[in-house]
Amino acid sequence: MASVDLIIVLLYLLLMLAVAFVHRRFADASLENFFLGGRKVPGWMNGISYTAALVSPDAATAYGGLAVATGAFICWWYLSRFGLALFLGGVLFAIVWRRLNLFTSLEFYDLRFPAKSASAMRLWIGIRTSLIAMPAWTGITLLASCKIMEPALGLTMLQTLLLLIPVSFIYVFLSGYKGVVISNFVQMLIFFSGAVMLAGFSLRYFGGPDALAAALDGKYGASNPEILSVVPPIEHAIFPLAAALAWFFGQSIGYGGDAAPMGGAMEGQRILSSRTPREAVVMYVVTAVSMFILLLLVTLPCIGGLLIWPELRSPEADRELIYGLLMKKMLPVGALGLMVAAMLAAAMSTVADNLNFGSQVLISDIYRRWIVRNASERHYLWAGKFGMLIILGLSLAVVMNVRIIVDVAVFMLQISAAELPANWAQWWWWRFNGKARLAASFGGAGIFCAVVLGPKALIAAGMPWAEKLLLPWWWQTFLVMGLTTLLWLSVALLTKPD
């Protein structure tokens, strides 16, 4: 790495630390300041911040890797999550969520269901969000950073983590949510500039969009014509049409009814910290538009990378290294430093967001409700900061035990999609009661274990016949969603409304 690149990276790290120190007094004033920015965050800034949290190195590596395996129809992977789902959340639920004026979105269950059902739900969702979802998403962000820094700069996993974690933790520890949002805005400017630059250098390398398409058609037109198709093929090893539909429906149905979903865990925090209900809607609009632009900038160069590294399409290859390889090959001195700073920016924004939101849920919905109920606000503030350490520790366990990032995304989709249709029912169906809610959440988790984890456990136990029960993940998703919906519908119809 050239000295110019190194200076750019170090200047960025110092800037983030400066942001943390400037906002530390505001964050320490109250729990609402530390976790919700005093509920005074503009909607557009929350939208940019949410985009910064979502388009992190795990998006560059995971989506880039999928682009290598698929081609142009990679757009279906983010069409549902960042198009229809965000639209549904903004139009149907943003205003009502903000009007509830909750501290965490999990408090909704106390308003909607009887005490016992609500308590069980808040405990389960609190554990699932703070101790499963947040470590998982934080872990794959850290892993993605390693996958970018290794081919781009030659850094080991340990070196990347030592570069990334201390600054991320210090600035969220000191500045809370307000510092996160402000730093996210700076980080988004850097990341957007870096993504535009890499996309531009890549297109120039291939001679422009038309030349890139022609080269791809010439190399893969006969053997893999689907690469230039925008519609997933019916038969495909990685992402057939059935998988696209499973991802589409699994991400969209029920979206918005629970503002702490497994796939977008910081969303409730963005809504509840917005200044007004209207600003909460603006947050969704800004997020959707900026997400589409950035994901296009990230995935397009990766499709071109097929012409340089065709071996990455091999099942044994780690295709998620593609973005780091492109950075190293395409970017000149200075530009590489800016792009590394952009990757660090995106990673830090996601890590800081996840730690802040996860500790908010951990303290409000588990620690304060079940363990220490009547302590001072300062006690809970410091407990929240300690909670960030717990989440970070679990995240490092994910880094050490995961190889392909998309596998984690699919796992999180399946465990959350089991109950997603119930998230709409709890708002709109008068018969939907506490028992049906418990059936959806706990029964859905049980069905997920039986359908997804059961066959793997049997195979691991030395029962090879169980391989016949191991379905592709897209059919597992449809089956888990269908059986869970049938379960909670039956419970709702067979029991009295609340």
Side-chain angles (χ1 to χ4, degrees), residues 242-291:
L245 293 175
W247 188 261
F248 185 86
F249 289 115
Q251 288 283 5
S252 302
I253 294 177
Y255 198 88
D258 177 5
M262 293 287 274
M266 303 81 62
E267 202 162 300
Q269 194 176 30
R270 295 299 188 287
I271 296 170
L272 299 174
S273 64
S274 295
R275 292 184 297 196
T276 64
R278 182 179 180 276
E279 296 280 358
V281 177
V282 171
M283 180 274 293
Y284 274 106
V285 174
V286 171
T287 302
V289 173
S290 55
M291 280 297 307

Side-chain angles (χ1 to χ4, degrees), residues 22-317:
V22 167
H23 295 285
R24 69 188 188 281
R25 290 185 179 178
F26 176 85
D28 282 340
S30 67
L31 285 172
E32 193 163 283
N33 281 10
F34 187 82
F35 289 116
L36 294 174
R39 298 189 194 267
K40 296 179 181 179
V41 183
W44 68 267
M45 185 172 282
N46 257 334
I48 295 295
S49 176
Y50 196 19
T51 299
L54 293 171
V55 185
S56 58
D58 62 277
T61 51
Y63 287 103
L66 275 174
V68 169
T70 58
F73 63 92
I74 178 61
C75 61
W76 279 72
W77 189 268
Y78 51 84
L79 174 65
S80 57
R81 177 68 180 89
F82 306 123
L84 181 60
L86 289 173
F87 173 79
L88 292 172
V91 171
L92 300 178
F93 293 102
I95 290 178
V96 290
W97 272 116
R98 182 61 186 89
R99 284 177 177 170
L100 290 175
N101 206 40
L102 307 173
F103 183 69
T104 70
S105 56
L106 280 68
E107 294 171 0
F108 166 79
Y109 295 110
D110 287 327
L111 302 176
R112 175 62 176 84
F113 299 111
K116 290 184 179 180
S117 299
S119 295
M121 281 303 303
R122 282 190 68 177
L123 180 61
W124 161 239
I125 301 298
I127 292 173
R128 192 189 71 176
T129 299
S130 60
L131 300 178
I132 299 177
M134 290 302 93
W137 293 124
T138 306
I140 64 172
T141 297
L142 295 172
L143 177 60
S145 301
C146 298
K147 289 192 174 192
I148 288 176
M149 297 305 172
E150 179 185 350
L153 302 179
L155 297 182
T156 65
M157 177 180 287
L158 179 60
Q159 290 170 330
T160 300
L161 295 177
L162 289 176
L163 183 66
L164 178 63
I165 291 176
V167 176
S168 301
F169 187 80
I170 289 171
Y171 88 70
V172 71
F173 185 89
L174 294 176
S175 64
Y177 183 71
K178 184 177 181 180
V180 167
V181 171
I182 293 174
S183 62
N184 279 355
F185 180 71
V186 177
Q187 292 160 353
M188 202 66 221
L189 292 177
I190 299 172
F191 184 82
F192 183 79
S193 301
V196 169
M197 185 171 54
L198 182 57
F201 277 112
S202 298
L203 286 176
R204 188 179 71 172
Y205 178 87
F206 294 112
D210 292 338
L212 173 59
L216 286 169
D217 186 52
K219 187 174 182 65
Y220 294 101
S223 58
N224 302 100
E226 75 280 357
I227 286 179
L228 292 177
S229 173
V230 295
V231 179
I234 295 177
E235 298 291 336
H236 193 271
I238 305 297
F239 198 52
L241 182 60
L245 293 175
W247 188 261
F248 185 86
F249 289 115
Q251 288 283 5
S252 302
I253 294 177
Y255 198 88
D258 177 5
M262 293 287 274
M266 303 81 62
E267 202 162 300
Q269 194 176 30
R270 295 299 188 287
I271 296 170
L272 299 174
S273 64
S274 295
R275 292 184 297 196
T276 64
R278 182 179 180 276
E279 296 280 358
V281 177
V282 171
M283 180 274 293
Y284 274 106
V285 174
V286 171
T287 302
V289 173
S290 55
M291 280 297 307
F292 264 99
I293 295 172
L294 278 167
L295 288 172
L296 175 64
L297 291 171
V298 166
T299 53
L300 181 59
C302 295
I303 297 174
L306 288 171
L307 298 171
I308 307 173
W309 302 284
E311 66 274 9
L312 289 179
R313 285 181 65 87
S314 169
E316 295 77 25

